[in-house]
Amino acid sequence: MTCALAVEATAMELERYRRRAAGLVVTGLAVLGAAVGLGVLVPETAWGDDAAGLSAVVGILCLGGGTGSLVLARRMRRALGAAVWSAHPAVTVGRTGHATTVVLRAADGSETWPLAVVAARHRYEAVRPGPDGVLWWCGDPRAGGVLAPPGGEPLIWAKPLRGTRVRRIVVGQAEARGLLERPVPRRPQAAPAAPERGGPDRMAPDRVRSVAGPTYAVLAEHARRQALPQDRAPRPEADVRGVPWWRVRSLRRVAGLPSVLVALAFCAAVGAVALTGPPAEDAPKLWAAGAVSLAGLLYSVHRALVGGLPAARLMARAAVSAVSVSRRYVLLYDPHGGVPVLLLFPARGGPDDRPEAAVPLLLPGSRKRPRRGLPAVPAGIVELHGRWGFDPAGERLVPWVEGRPLWPAGPYREADAEGFAALVDRLAPPVEERLSP
């Protein structure tokens, strides 16, 4: 790896970040132009002044946010182009009223680096270490740099935390959470360029399987380290085998029905206000609210009809299918979003077997307890129901564990699929050594 930008995912994410920032700048300029136009074309009217003022505020916010993001994009490009990624044990420390702080431990264990995250609040989750407690870093901890989950995306700028007392307190909190006891992760490496599809050098399936990742024994032990105690029973849910699919809470969520109902409720509320005869000066605001609510309803209905409803029906049919196969599974968590993934192995095999497929899962729990309802045993036997045929790849096969379905978040992926080896490596990054505290 010559520099962090040699990682394809990092280079693509940086370009997407720059384009989003440029789009915000263009949007801000356009909205400011609209505000000026409203002020000129609709003078001396109450609703015209309100619309122009609101447009100006929105335009200034977009322009300021886009400009700041462009500045951060330039800083990230310089940092990513001047150094390589390094993997570090990490702990996130939240501070009330302040930005999230991430504490990294140096690879040799000699020092710790408290860093303040520079990002919007909704992006804080991107730098929350996964179950392995690892983040990638590129930059100078004394001047600032880029944080990312293992894999090199998404990208978050971070700067050194100021204040000796604050740094000491934050580092103490991180050490109390086990930062010093965590093993040193493997050094990041740039993935080799993928061969062209259909070309003479296309990687053969057998070769992909031979490098698809660690063995069953290694992955099962890793899953046991990640597992959390199950302190509550799974949330009650209708049994898909005895009721229509829309009676099952998880399938309603897959279909997008809650979003449709929320958007419909907003439209109904705006309509009810319109029927009461609001004052004339509030009519433009009411029309705007109605247009936004109607647009949200149309969008949610479109998503449900195009993707959600067909997926929910397919999953319901697969879950009750009489065709099933048994596999051993290992339950791990993708650091990109914390998505649970079942790695599958032959039902009759040994500890040296390598994964033959993967199924990403939807988190079955609530927002506060998202993992509630996942298997209590991180490695065991799973029954896969669905349309197998000769090639199950791409199908929405439904795993059944402990007598309950685990609804898939994506299709069944075999070991010869593109990116499978990288997925396994991301789920269970190898450990080079363990430092003593």
Side-chain angles (χ1 to χ4, degrees), residues 348-371:
R348 297 180 179 179
D352 295 330
D353 289 341
R354 297 187 183 275
E356 66 176 21
V359 178
L361 302 176
L362 295 173
L363 288 167
S366 61
R367 181 170 298 181
K368 291 184 177 180
R369 297 177 178 270
R371 297 189 187 182

Side-chain angles (χ1 to χ4, degrees), residues 284-376:
K285 298 178 183 178
L286 188 61
W287 278 106
V292 172
S293 301
L294 183 59
L297 177 61
L298 294 176
Y299 177 71
S300 58
V301 169
H302 172 75
R303 287 189 60 187
L305 293 177
V306 172
L309 291 173
R313 288 197 293 264
L314 286 175
M315 290 163 63
R317 285 200 297 267
V320 299
S321 172
V323 180
S324 66
V325 296
S326 297
R327 291 288 186 268
R328 287 179 297 163
Y329 76 85
V330 169
L331 177 64
L332 294 167
Y333 298 91
D334 193 335
H336 290 185
V339 176
V341 179
L342 286 183
L343 290 180
L344 305 176
F345 301 81
R348 297 180 179 179
D352 295 330
D353 289 341
R354 297 187 183 275
E356 66 176 21
V359 178
L361 302 176
L362 295 173
L363 288 167
S366 61
R367 181 170 298 181
K368 291 184 177 180
R369 297 177 178 270
R371 297 189 187 182
R372 180 185 174 190
L374 289 173

Side-chain angles (χ1 to χ4, degrees), residues 109-192:
S110 60
E111 56 182 332
T112 53
W113 307 328
L115 303 166
V117 174
V118 182
R121 187 171 296 275
H122 70 275
R123 302 194 70 210
Y124 287 173
E125 195 65 28
V127 293
R128 190 177 300 278
D132 299 311
V134 175
L135 287 177
W136 285 11
W137 165 258
C138 180
D140 184 352
R142 295 165 298 181
V146 185
L147 287 169
E153 59 172 335
L155 306 175
I156 303 292
W157 181 262
K159 62 182 181 180
L161 191 64
R162 304 300 180 187
T164 304
R165 180 175 177 274
V166 174
R167 291 169 62 91
R168 186 170 59 250
I169 293 174
V170 169
V171 170
Q173 291 175 341
E175 292 176 351
R177 297 181 184 182
L179 178 64
L180 299 182
E181 288 77 24
R182 292 186 176 178
V184 176
R186 191 183 64 173
R187 188 175 305 164
Q189 295 180 356

